Amino acid sequence: MKRILVLGAGQSAGFLIEHLLSTAALEDWFVTVGDRDPELAARRVGDHPRGEAVGFDAGDTELTASQVAASDVVVNLLPQRFQTVLAWTCLRHDCHMVSVSYRDREMDEMDEEARRRGVLLLTEVGLDPGIDHMSAMAVLETVRRRGGVVETFESYGAGLPAPEVEANPLRYCLTWNPRNVVMAGESGAQYLRAGRLKLAPWHRVFEHTWTREVPGLGPMEAYPNRDSLAYRDVFGLHEASTLVRGTLRYPGWCELWRAVVSLGLPNETLVIPDLAERGLRELVEMFLPDDETGRPLEARVAERLGLDEDGDVVRRLAWLGLFSDEPCGAHARTPAEALVHLLETRLALPPEARDMVLLLHLVEARYPDEGDRRERILSTLLDFGEPGGWTAMTRTVGLPAALATSLLLRGELPLTGTQIPTHPAVYRPVLAGLAAAGLRLSETVEEITTTEVTT
């Protein structure tokens, strides 16, 4: 019997676990789901005869080792900070790993040992990263098969409420880990625009914004996501003068979040005494200089950020609760944890509402064998959740990882080492499985009549 260990039973795990359990019933597999909340893990497994739930503490090295040693493959849905230790544990016990988290430099250092031991450590197999990589590779493969040279490559992802949802003035709802929303941009970003390298330190990421038109949705705000240049080798884009990986939001989000970042609230290092007993207003006050004028907090925040006190951003900060005496949260120790609690409280997706995931690739290619003809390819994926059912986010994060895990256990994934899903052995069958489930990108192609690069 093949044994699968799924670590993490949170918002993005439900569809994956259900899919693996239903597949295990047809194969000789068994699924163990581990989470720090054993009751949550038990709810995910239900009474399925091919599954069990266990309490799991990622900081307990002995428990981790014992669970990994009993498994053939680990599916990692834990936060990014746990991935490296988990991957080393998998290596020591000759256990494969499929992960939705980003591959980092520590993972790269495991490549030689993983190959030597015949172990596959496959990361970035979710939505973004994940489906975005695989669908981009399919587009690039088609261009190169026709002899094209890629001059512009832009790839965007988003998880948002559906356009008709008017749950709050921020036009945003949580369908994934709120910590990832709070700390978005924490690593800064770099990207290439018309041959110029652009750098955005963590506190400036939300100042690097531009508009992208999305078919069926209209204009969306874009901002850069991490290190776009890290994918130049991966995607073979050395001749591209524009290379961007970014995130899309409804208009207005970036201006708001720029204010939150400028205040200093997304901070995980400052442990504040008795923060759980303090109010949000008091927390915001801590980030402002001393003031003896007695002016309202809202006015001082507006002045600090260079905003109109009666403008939209200050009103939305007020709606969010940053000027209220609402508690920072029973478990909050840092400003970031208080912000996570606040977003969970304010930005929940209403039960009757749909969420939406969006991927968009913009590729401009030149064809030397066709008289340097140029074309622009726009490839998009729009998927909507089911009110009261699975969200689009949990489906699109979980299904790619489930499909890759199935390929691996069936011996249909002939790879070892540290990989991301840009190898044809991964992206071709996984994209086929996604298409069979109704997740297929639509594509438009138009001729470019000018040599101007997209800006």
Side-chain angles (χ1 to χ4, degrees):
M1 178 184 291
K2 297 290 181 68
R3 300 189 70 92
I4 305 167
L5 175 63
V6 179
L7 295 180
Q11 289 192 75
S12 300
F15 187 87
L16 176 140
I17 293 168
E18 181 180 274
H19 190 280
L20 289 177
L21 286 171
S22 63
T23 307
L26 306 174
E27 310 271 359
D28 191 21
W29 300 349
F30 192 85
V31 181
T32 298
V33 178
D35 193 89
R36 63 181 181 180
D37 181 351
E39 293 183 1
L40 175 60
R43 290 198 298 272
R44 296 296 192 200
V45 174
D47 57 359
H48 200 287
R50 284 282 177 165
E52 67 173 353
V54 298
F56 182 81
D57 180 357
D60 187 333
T61 55
E62 290 186 10
L63 174 62
T64 301
S66 65
Q67 290 287 349
V68 169
S71 307
D72 294 285
V73 58
V74 171
V75 182
N76 175 35
L77 300 174
L78 298 174
Q80 178 82 42
R81 63 184 181 276
F82 296 116
Q83 179 168 265
T84 299
V85 172
L86 179 60
W88 276 118
T89 305
C90 288
L91 267 185
R92 286 196 296 271
H93 294 281
D94 295 324
C95 177
H96 303 293
M97 182 182 78
V98 174
S99 176
V100 301
S101 290
Y102 280 95
R103 180 177 66 180
D104 51 26
R105 292 178 181 175
E106 288 82 1
M107 290 293 300
D108 290 340
E109 294 171 0
M110 303 179 201
D111 183 64
E112 184 177 347
E113 179 68 7
R115 292 177 188 275
R116 188 182 70 80
R117 300 182 76 113
V119 170
L120 174 62
L121 303 174
L122 180 63
T123 58
E124 305 192 16
V125 200
L127 168 66
D128 176 7
I131 299 177
D132 58 343
H133 293 343
M134 293 183 278
S135 54
M137 288 302 297
V139 172
L140 296 174
E141 183 180 30
T142 300
V143 169
R144 288 164 180 153
R145 191 184 302 124
R146 295 168 49 207
V149 176
V150 176
E151 298 184 325
T152 291
F153 176 84
E154 299 184 18
S155 179
Y156 302 95
L160 297 162
E164 75 274 7
V165 177
E166 298 180 358
N168 61 69
L170 275 59
R171 298 196 71 192
Y172 191 83
C173 293
L174 288 173
T175 54
W176 60 317
N177 188 341
R179 186 265 174 193
N180 293 341
V181 179
V182 169
M183 299 306 296
E186 65 173 325
S187 300
Q190 66 171 331
Y191 57 100
L192 196 64
R193 174 74 70 195
R196 299 186 300 273
L197 181 62
K198 308 297 290 184
L199 302 176
W202 68 270
H203 60 296
R204 301 292 189 192
V205 168
F206 293 93
E207 295 177 8
H208 287 244
T209 64
W210 54 91
T211 299
R212 275 288 164 262
E213 190 75 22
V214 179
L217 293 178
M220 304 285 284
E221 282 184 350
Y223 67 88
N225 185 6
R226 297 178 181 245
D227 181 6
S228 298
L229 272 64
Y231 293 91
R232 183 158 48 185
D233 290 339
V234 171
F235 291 138
L237 295 170
H238 297 280
E239 296 186 63
S241 58
T242 293
L243 173 53
V244 177
R245 288 191 78 251
T247 299
L248 294 174
R249 291 286 183 262
Y250 288 123
W253 173 265
C254 290
E255 187 179 20
L256 172 76
W257 208 253
R258 183 190 314 150
V260 172
V261 172
S262 296
L263 283 172
L265 290 167
N267 187 304
E268 294 184 309
T269 60
L270 291 174
V271 177
I272 299 174
D274 304 317
L275 181 59
E277 302 170 12
R278 301 175 187 269
L280 290 163
R281 188 179 188 88
E282 184 179 359
L283 174 62
V284 172
E285 172 70 44
M286 295 177 194
F287 284 93
L288 298 179
D290 290 336
D291 183 88
E292 304 296 335
T293 66
R295 289 179 301 162
L297 178 63
E298 294 85 341
R300 293 164 55 213
V301 166
E303 180 182 71
R304 178 74 169 175
L305 300 177
L307 298 171
D308 179 358
E309 183 181 350
D310 298 318
D312 286 343
V313 174
V314 175
R315 281 199 296 268
R316 283 181 285 161
L317 291 174
W319 178 90
L320 195 54
L322 291 177
F323 305 136
S324 75
D325 292 320
E326 182 178 330
C328 288
H331 304 290
R333 300 170 305 145
T334 68
E337 289 173 346
L339 201 50
V340 165
H341 172 75
L342 180 61
L343 296 192
E344 288 176 327
T345 303
R346 289 287 198 274
L347 301 184
L349 182 71
E352 73 284 358
R354 301 187 302 168
D355 74 319
M356 171 186 76
V357 297
L358 163 66
L359 294 179
L360 182 146
H361 305 305
L362 188 154
V363 175
E364 292 182 351
R366 175 174 56 85
Y367 295 89
D369 295 339
E370 301 177 24
D372 277 344
R373 185 180 66 83
R374 285 176 164 81
E375 67 180 18
R376 180 179 293 113
I377 304 162
L378 194 65
S379 179
T380 58
L381 168 68
L382 271 175
D383 186 55
F384 296 91
E386 304 169 4
W390 293 120
T391 63
M393 179 62 73
T394 191
R395 185 167 59 242
T396 53
V397 169
L399 185 54
L403 292 171
T405 300
S406 298
L407 290 169
L408 184 55
L409 289 178
R410 292 178 181 135
E412 299 172 3
L413 201 52
L415 298 174
T416 59
T418 58
Q419 304 276 353
I420 63 173
T422 52
H423 193 287
V426 182
Y427 70 78
R428 288 174 183 166
V430 172
L431 285 176
L434 294 173
L439 294 170
R440 187 189 302 271
L441 279 84
S442 62
E443 189 173 291
T444 61
V445 181
E446 63 178 3
E447 191 124 350
I448 300 175
T449 56
T450 171
T451 57
E452 218 174 281
V453 176
T454 295
T455 57

